Amino acid sequence: MSTLPSTTDTAPPGAATPGTGPGAPPAPDDPASLKVVPARHYARWVAAVAVIVLVAQFAHGLATNPVWEWGVFGDYVLSETIVQAVWVTLQLTAYATVLGFLLGTVLAFMRLSRSPVLQTVAWTYIWIFRSIPMIVQLVFWFNLSALYEELGFGIPFGPVFWSVDSNSVIGTMGAAIIGLTLHQAAYAAEIVRGGVIAVDHGQLEAAAAQGIPRLRQIRRIVLPQAMRAILPTAGNEIIGLLKGTSVVYVMSIGELFYQVQVIYGRNGRVIPLLLVATAWYVVLTSLLSVAQYYVERRYARGANRTPPPTPIQRARRFLRTLRAAAAQRNQPVIPLKPLGDSR
Amino acid sequence: MSDVMVDVHGVHKSFGPLEVLRGVDLKVRAGEVTVILGPSGSGKSTLLRTINHLEKVNSGWISIDGELIGYRRSGSKLHELKEKDVLKQRTHIGFVFQNFNLFPHLTVLDNLVEAPVSALRRPRKAAEETARRLLDRVGLADKADAYPRQLSGGQQQRVAIARALALEPKVLLFDEPTSALDPELVGEVLDVIKDLAGTGTTMIVVTHEIGFAREVADTVVFMDGGVVVEQGPPAAVLDDPRHERTRAFLSKVL
């Protein structure tokens, strides 16, 4: 400190003339005259230019490389076969999501229960079904009739009253749904359990202290709050499942990926048909992401003092400010004063 | 005494090797306000939590209005009650937590309506009417549709008191109701509790507010080391304590 020559400190008052010479201290008596010069990020600019060039190159390739065969893509993307296949994909996703999360919620509460038997069974289930690759499991279910020729209803280990051929009840679609569901349930169980243990213990105590029935405590107090922690991961899982349904092609079910393979097997246009599948998966995932946003928002009620605006509200607000700005700019065009002058 | 509302008899409670309550006896008469004072770790909160069976006792028993809490007696045996029956008993015991524990995802009104509808099977409309009346009583009639996080700490605790009252309990338990509040918010909550004391509600209040104890309590109980050291009218316990430990505690907090 003492080595620095500080002219301003030692100079007698009134002696320093502000703004003289380079690096002179600014006039301390007029802060409004100080100008802020933003820092310049040259490296950032270079990086941005490089990335833009790369992206442009890629987009140019997409548009001009004849291998993509956009014409073929156009022919197939909305064809009846493909739309039907998309519908099968959606069905598989919906069934496996709903049933998987139902079973998963039951498993989660089994793991959280005070009964060591329920805990162990749930833990074992999750352990096994997380260990088996989905595709292996699906093929197992596909060959169910080799494992159990008949499904029966009766006393455990005792006589059977009623039975059917297992292939006739389950069928390929059923086997696929069961396989996806059982796989999904193992993951859903852990997601739900994670959400439940994230809820403050005081919430359960408060519910118990008021005598709220046990099931109602879970449904009305715990689960809605757990949803905040469950939803982001569950969204990931459902999107993963949507794309995961493509492995069902091994069972020759006419979902999107299987149908696309059938078509390019016939006509040899591999690339444009893969593009068809890609486009649909992107569209469906986008729709799920939008749905997720709004569901999350709903369960965030009460979490924030003032909830943030939705993208639509934000867009509306933006348009309103634009309009207001435009109106302001137009004002001088319709001057009010000259009105009196013209008379 | 036939008008004993809360009867705590020889209660012991341990958490693992730590014995928190070492034989507590306490009688609270109907319509009276009992304030429990004592240093941290003296077992005050644990005692309060055993009264509504949030904590099970290791030995001894507790009854409210002549009904054993958490157990059913047949002959010389105490049978543990099922959770369902314990939950039913708890509807007679209002509990106000230090951290409010309001349900953050429900509006203030729904916080008050939930238990009467689901535990007492009241019709929703009647429960809402009661809820609005109670909110008016704690001075928050205009906050019925707000969410708890939109309220100040003092307001949240007043909502929590109204929520406890919504079940029309026989006794109200307060577990350090002002300890989580900023100093300037303590007064509004204590005013509500004082107001309730004036209407003859039976209450047990664990607190560190000595002034409140002096003003409102019918009986002051001083606990230390898991036992009741002394109890009596506030004038006796606070101004002329007989025990050295009470004197030492009061000299520190007054």
Side-chain angles (χ1 to χ4, degrees):
Chain A
M1 287 288 274
S2 56
T3 54
L4 287 170
S6 57
T7 47
T8 42
D9 285 352
T10 50
T17 33
T20 51
D29 51 342
D30 185 16
S33 72
L34 301 182
K35 197 179 167 222
V36 176
V37 181
R40 311 233 186 264
H41 303 278
Y42 297 107
R44 224 181 270 173
W45 295 351
V46 172
V49 169
V51 169
I52 288 171
V53 168
L54 283 175
V55 170
Q57 237 180 337
F58 180 72
H60 180 253
L62 265 185
T64 58
N65 189 336
V67 181
W68 296 112
E69 295 186 84
W70 287 102
V72 180
F73 171 87
D75 289 342
Y76 280 102
V77 72
L78 291 174
S79 68
E80 205 192 321
T81 328
I82 293 295
V83 171
Q84 225 155 44
V86 168
W87 175 237
V88 175
T89 293
L90 280 177
Q91 274 179 306
L92 285 168
T93 310
Y95 278 119
T97 300
V98 172
L99 298 175
F101 271 88
L102 278 180
L103 180 57
T105 307
V106 172
L107 285 165
F109 281 99
M110 281 169 74
R111 267 204 78 178
L112 291 167
S113 83
R114 268 166 258 172
S115 154
V117 176
L118 297 186
Q119 276 174 28
T120 313
V121 169
W123 184 88
T124 312
Y125 177 95
I126 293 165
W127 168 60
I128 288 181
F129 278 87
R130 284 203 306 196
S131 310
I132 309 173
M134 190 147 88
I135 194 163
V136 175
Q137 211 216 116
L138 283 171
V139 179
F140 256 117
W141 283 103
F142 192 52
N143 295 298
L144 179 73
S145 56
L147 271 175
Y148 304 99
E149 273 180 38
E150 292 191 322
L151 292 178
F153 181 81
I155 296 168
F157 304 107
V160 175
F161 305 130
W162 174 84
S163 70
V164 283
D165 175 41
S166 50
N167 264 354
S168 68
V169 255
I170 291 180
T172 341
M173 189 71 179
I177 289 171
I178 290 174
L180 291 171
T181 298
L182 296 182
H183 180 82
Q184 199 51 43
Y187 288 92
E190 289 296 274
I191 293 171
V192 172
R193 190 173 68 94
V196 169
I197 55 185
V199 176
D200 178 25
H201 186 64
Q203 292 290 310
L204 264 184
E205 275 196 345
Q210 294 176 84
I212 296 171
R214 184 87 182 134
L215 264 180
R216 177 95 179 171
Q217 288 179 23
I218 290 170
R219 241 190 41 234
R220 175 85 166 150
I221 307 299
V222 176
L223 278 181
Q225 295 187 61
M227 284 304 260
R228 296 252 308 143
I230 290 173
L231 281 170
T233 346
N236 254 357
E237 274 299 305
I238 295 169
I239 287 168
L241 180 66
L242 170 79
K243 294 176 295 175
T245 55
S246 56
V247 307
V248 166
Y249 85 92
V250 296
M251 302 166 85
S252 320
I253 289 174
E255 49 73 49
L256 184 55
F257 186 49
Y258 177 81
Q259 217 56 273
V260 160
Q261 288 183 74
V262 168
I263 297 172
Y264 72 56
R266 229 171 27 219
N267 65 10
R269 304 287 177 75
V270 178
I271 299 294
L273 277 154
L274 284 179
L275 265 186
V276 166
T278 306
W280 273 109
Y281 283 123
V282 169
V283 166
L284 296 179
T285 302
S286 313
L287 291 178
L288 280 177
S289 306
V290 171
Q292 180 185 349
Y293 175 84
Y294 281 96
V295 176
E296 274 183 27
R297 214 181 127 78
R298 182 180 158 76
Y299 279 101
R301 273 177 316 172
N304 299 349
R305 291 194 171 191
T306 40
T310 63
I312 292 174
Q313 287 171 338
R314 225 175 293 155
R316 277 209 197 112
R317 199 169 298 172
F318 181 66
L319 283 179
R320 225 177 298 142
T321 49
L322 275 189
R323 233 175 283 147
Q328 226 163 25
R329 222 176 301 128
N330 290 339
Q331 249 170 9
V333 182
I334 325 155
L336 292 170
K337 268 187 192 162
L339 240 150
D341 291 347
S342 64
R343 271 179 203 165
Chain B
M1 284 194 295
S2 60
D3 60 344
V4 171
M5 179 58 89
V6 182
D7 195 354
V8 178
H9 188 89
V11 162
H12 286 256
K13 172 71 191 175
S14 304
F15 293 113
L18 183 71
E19 200 177 10
V20 182
L21 299 178
R22 310 160 179 259
V24 174
D25 290 284
L26 183 68
K27 283 189 200 322
V28 174
R29 275 185 292 180
E32 284 198 345
V33 179
T34 301
V35 170
I36 304 180
L37 300 175
S40 295
S42 59
K44 336 181 271 296
S45 285
T46 307
L47 174 65
L48 209 63
R49 291 163 61 85
T50 58
I51 293 176
N52 77 342
H53 211 64
L54 277 179
E55 304 288 354
K56 279 183 197 167
V57 300
N58 296 114
S59 64
W61 50 262
I62 292 161
S63 73
I64 289 183
D65 206 10
E67 189 184 352
L68 272 180
I69 296 301
Y71 298 93
R72 181 173 49 80
R73 185 172 174 175
S74 66
S76 62
K77 281 184 189 153
L78 288 179
H79 295 272
E80 218 174 286
L81 287 181
K82 286 194 189 141
E83 194 177 349
K84 201 177 130 204
D85 301 311
V86 174
L87 286 170
K88 204 170 286 171
Q89 289 187 327
R90 289 208 188 107
T91 60
H92 302 306
I93 312 164
F95 200 101
V96 176
F97 294 88
Q98 183 177 343
N99 299 317
F100 332 135
N101 286 342
L102 293 176
F103 305 131
H105 61 302
L106 301 180
T107 61
V108 164
L109 190 71
D110 281 339
N111 263 278
L112 267 69
V113 164
E114 177 56 32
V117 167
S118 68
L120 299 181
R121 309 215 149 275
R122 296 254 167 85
R124 192 175 165 93
K125 208 148 179 233
E128 276 185 15
E129 266 166 39
T130 315
R132 285 188 196 279
R133 193 164 41 75
L134 289 168
L135 284 176
D136 190 37
R137 190 160 157 195
V138 299
L140 294 169
D142 56 329
K143 299 289 185 191
D145 299 319
Y147 285 96
R149 290 213 177 102
Q150 295 166 329
L151 305 180
S152 74
Q155 291 172 329
Q156 289 190 49
Q157 192 61 297
R158 279 147 67 198
V159 171
I161 294 170
R163 180 173 75 170
L165 289 170
L167 290 165
E168 292 165 27
K170 292 175 179 171
V171 53
L172 261 181
L173 310 177
F174 292 86
D175 187 8
E176 303 199 23
T178 58
S179 295
L181 297 177
D182 288 342
E184 78 266 30
L185 300 178
V186 169
E188 61 183 80
V189 171
L190 291 184
D191 285 345
V192 168
I193 302 175
K194 272 180 219 166
D195 187 47
L196 284 174
T199 63
T201 315
T202 312
M203 299 196 278
I204 304 178
V205 187
V206 169
T207 185
H208 292 294
E209 301 286 332
I210 306 289
F212 170 80
R214 193 189 300 280
E215 195 180 335
V216 178
D218 295 299
T219 307
V220 171
V221 174
F222 177 71
M223 280 183 77
D224 193 15
V227 292
V228 172
V229 175
E230 70 176 291
Q231 56 178 308
V237 177
L238 297 176
D239 299 330
D240 188 20
R242 276 171 297 152
H243 284 265
E244 185 50 45
R245 275 191 286 177
T246 318
R247 239 171 278 151
F249 173 76
L250 289 173
S251 72
K252 263 182 250 161
V253 294
L254 280 178

